[in-house]
Amino acid sequence: THCISSAASDVYKRQGLDAKEQLTLLRDGASCPWQFEDWREVRESLSTEGESTFIGVELIDSPYDELYGISLKREQEKVLLLKPTVNGIHNRLICEVTLGSDKIKRVKLRSSVCIQNYTQATIFVGAGRFKGAVDNITIDREIKLSPGSIIALPIDVVYSDTFVIRPDVRDQLFGWSVAKTNTGKFVDMNWKTVQENDLLLECPKIEEGSAANYFFNVHAAVDDGVMNKVYPHIQINVMPPLEIENLLPFDITWRLHQKGSKSDWSNILKKGENCAVHVVDMNLHLLLKIKPVDSKFLESKFGIVNVPAGSGFELDNRLLLESSEEDNQRLYLNLHYANSAKAGVKIVIYSPY
């Protein structure tokens, strides 16, 4: 049993090698169950080259020729060349075949560029052919992406378009993002620039609220191979620029100060939990102080938890908290820094004991 889904375009699927065999319409984003001939009959016929595990694909209302003989025999991610060229470029279709724990083989037809939302907010992804200026953006495509979800971009935008992102948050409205490298250089976010650098996206505020700007971090998970030099085969991960995790046995209040912007943010973080911070620019100095809730210990002094590239400053690895009583007790809490393809920069607060 198979489940075939489309994440690229409306398609016709043909079972078998013969183009005149069964024809099924599959809309963009839809899926349908698919049954090939019974495995017992295949076993009894002793045929290993039967037509039962092949499909053909036609992309509707597209300039591309039909594809035939796409094998579904084994788990794989097969890159299919689309003909003819469009604007001198051979676009690609991915046929991704996986076998689930329920023994159902799932076949996904999609483009070669996916975007996954690793934030806790819904985001909009815009695609268009524009250059740089945030006040001169014309969006040709707009896709809504809920927290934790992943989507394949349309085939006709993955090579030539520039991408922008904005958050969908209830308490404030933000504009489309401008991309910067970790050196502060402004760039267009496209398949080439995301492979070269992790990017910091800054979304300017459109209406007044608690935040001046909203930030994302973008990292590209690149498929190994020579194809990425001439055509993208990547997954773009959209993450918060900073996460704070509390591994202490008590709740804390934290406070962040951004040098250069004279901005402060604070909140409560319960024990064992983490929170995403989207209001900080990770190309600037960032200072952190904490205070245990309902404790005799006073608020710590600021510790340096982020520095610009090439600044020469070192990050602090622990914070000192002093007692409010006359016992002169001191409490040292450690800071651990992690950088992952799914969480961006994470600061973990924990006890060294």
Side-chain angles (χ1 to χ4, degrees), residues 116-124 145-148 165-169 171-172 174-175 177-178 180 199-205 210-218 237-244 254 256 258 261 263-267 274-283 286 342-345:
Q116 183 151 12
N117 180 9
Y118 281 106
T119 75
Q120 299 171 7
T122 299
I123 62 174
F124 289 97
L145 202 54
S146 58
I165 292 174
R166 63 180 176 89
D168 182 23
V169 291
D171 55 349
Q172 196 172 352
F174 295 91
S177 62
V178 176
K180 297 185 290 186
L199 299 179
L200 182 68
L201 307 185
E202 181 177 355
C203 304
K205 67 177 180 180
S210 58
N213 296 293
Y214 199 98
F215 295 90
F216 296 101
N217 193 47
V218 170
N237 297 332
V238 181
M239 307 164 287
L242 177 66
E243 281 193 7
I244 302 175
W254 57 263
L256 285 170
Q258 187 91 75
S261 67
S263 300
D264 284 81
W265 304 274
S266 60
N267 209 334
N274 60 12
C275 66
V277 182
H278 284 275
V279 293
V280 294
D281 186 343
M282 299 301 284
N283 283 333
L286 189 62
K342 299 179 180 180
V345 177

Side-chain angles (χ1 to χ4, degrees), residues 299-316:
E299 186 177 51
S300 71
K301 294 183 179 179
F302 275 119
I304 301 174
V305 294
N306 187 73
V307 295
S311 69
F313 287 92
E314 294 186 356
L315 302 180
D316 287 319

Side-chain angles (χ1 to χ4, degrees), residues 81-101:
L81 190 70
L82 295 175
K83 297 179 180 180
T85 62
V86 176
N87 298 322
I89 301 300
H90 272 297
N91 285 314
R92 271 76 166 175
L93 177 71
I94 300 294
C95 180
E96 182 182 341
V97 183
T98 57
L99 182 64
S101 58

Side-chain angles (χ1 to χ4, degrees), residues 138-174:
T138 300
I139 302 299
D140 299 324
R141 301 283 184 91
E142 185 174 319
I143 303 170
K144 191 173 184 178
L145 202 54
S146 58
S149 61
I150 183 172
I151 194 169
L153 294 176
I155 289 176
D156 57 346
V157 307
V158 299
Y159 184 88
S160 57
D161 280 26
T162 297
F163 308 117
V164 288
I165 292 174
R166 63 180 176 89
D168 182 23
V169 291
R170 289 180 294 179
D171 55 349
Q172 196 172 352
L173 186 62
F174 295 91

Side-chain angles (χ1 to χ4, degrees), residues 23 25 32 45 55 64 84 104 132 136 141 144 157 168 185 197 237 247 252 283 322-323 336 353:
L23 189 67
L25 174 63
C32 69
S45 68
I55 61 170
Y64 305 113
I104 294 178
N136 188 27
R141 301 283 184 91
K144 191 173 184 178
V157 307
D168 182 23
K185 179 184 177 182
N197 300 281
N237 297 332
L247 294 185
I252 62 171
N283 283 333
E322 296 183 341
S323 174
H336 173 71
Y353 310 109

